Amino acid sequence: MTGEPHAAYDRLIKEMDAAGARYRLIDHPPEGRTDEVSALRGHDASQAAKCLIVMVKVGKKQTRHVLAVVPGDARLDLQAVKGLLDGTYVAFAAKDKAEELAGSESGTVLPFSFDPRLELVADPSLLSRPELYFNAARLDRSVALSTDDYVRLAAPRIEPIVSKEDKAEVGVPIVSKES
């Protein structure tokens, strides 16, 4: 990852302020695992916006990247993401590529895309709560953001991408290496 250490954080705060978003900041010990940071912030993991960056091959020569946002207690359905893009192959993006596209380190990926190469898709179950929690492109600070303001500002593509079979296991990484 290159650039200023808190560039994504600074951009997020600036954009939320400019749009009059209803949010609050929560400082906590550094933590990037959804289940652990949810406990530090004092809310159920289902209220967390877990952000995963996925690589989808479309045909033999085109690769697209998706920022998939799901509730913190849910497991991402990679095949659903592959189907949305009519892909031929899907995997979690390599850590370095994910951090480049997100503009922040693993464990701090925002549920916003500030890179035109990163398509934002949110599961509708994430939007059933009045407020979303997520790390603010920093391990030591989180945002609690009105869900309505999140949808208005981030403008995600809303599609079912949560696995219907499993709940996420404790300690599932925010971003894993490409297989």
Side-chain angles (χ1 to χ4, degrees):
M1 196 185 71
T2 58
E4 296 297 316
H6 295 295
Y9 168 81
D10 293 339
R11 180 170 178 181
L12 172 69
I13 299 301
K14 187 177 184 178
E15 289 195 13
M16 288 190 307
D17 285 345
R22 294 160 292 167
Y23 74 94
R24 55 195 163 85
L25 299 175
I26 304 165
D27 289 322
H28 51 75
E31 182 57 61
R33 292 169 297 176
T34 303
D35 56 327
E36 299 290 330
V37 75
S38 293
L40 291 171
R41 294 185 297 228
H43 64 82
D44 189 79
S46 66
Q47 293 176 268
K50 182 166 59 174
C51 305
L52 303 137
I53 298 180
V54 177
M55 179 270 307
V56 180
K57 296 253 184 213
V58 181
K60 293 187 182 204
K61 297 189 178 188
Q62 186 182 12
T63 299
R64 292 167 66 182
H65 289 89
V66 173
L67 170 53
V69 186
V70 298
D73 65 343
R75 181 182 299 268
L76 176 64
D77 182 346
L78 287 171
Q79 296 307 312
V81 175
K82 179 176 138 185
L84 288 176
L85 301 183
D86 293 323
T88 55
Y89 176 80
V90 65
F92 289 105
K95 183 179 177 182
D96 61 335
K97 185 65 170 182
E99 290 179 348
E100 172 194 333
L101 291 168
S104 64
E105 68 182 298
S106 179
T108 70
V109 175
L110 296 170
F112 290 81
S113 176
F114 296 137
D115 189 313
R117 300 171 296 166
L118 188 59
E119 300 174 48
L120 177 59
V121 179
D123 190 87
S125 64
L126 178 75
L127 310 177
S128 65
R129 306 276 186 146
E131 195 170 51
L132 297 178
Y133 295 83
F134 54 90
N135 274 9
R138 297 170 51 158
L139 289 171
D140 64 344
R141 184 168 291 161
S142 291
V143 172
L145 174 63
S146 155
T147 303
D148 291 343
D149 286 337
Y150 169 70
V151 172
R152 180 172 58 90
L153 294 172
R157 177 177 174 182
I158 300 169
E159 298 283 354
I161 54 172
V162 164
S163 172
K164 292 163 185 49
E165 298 172 14
D166 302 312
K167 292 279 185 177
E169 295 173 13
V170 173
V172 171
I174 300 298
V175 177
S176 63
K177 293 208 183 271
E178 189 173 320
S179 39

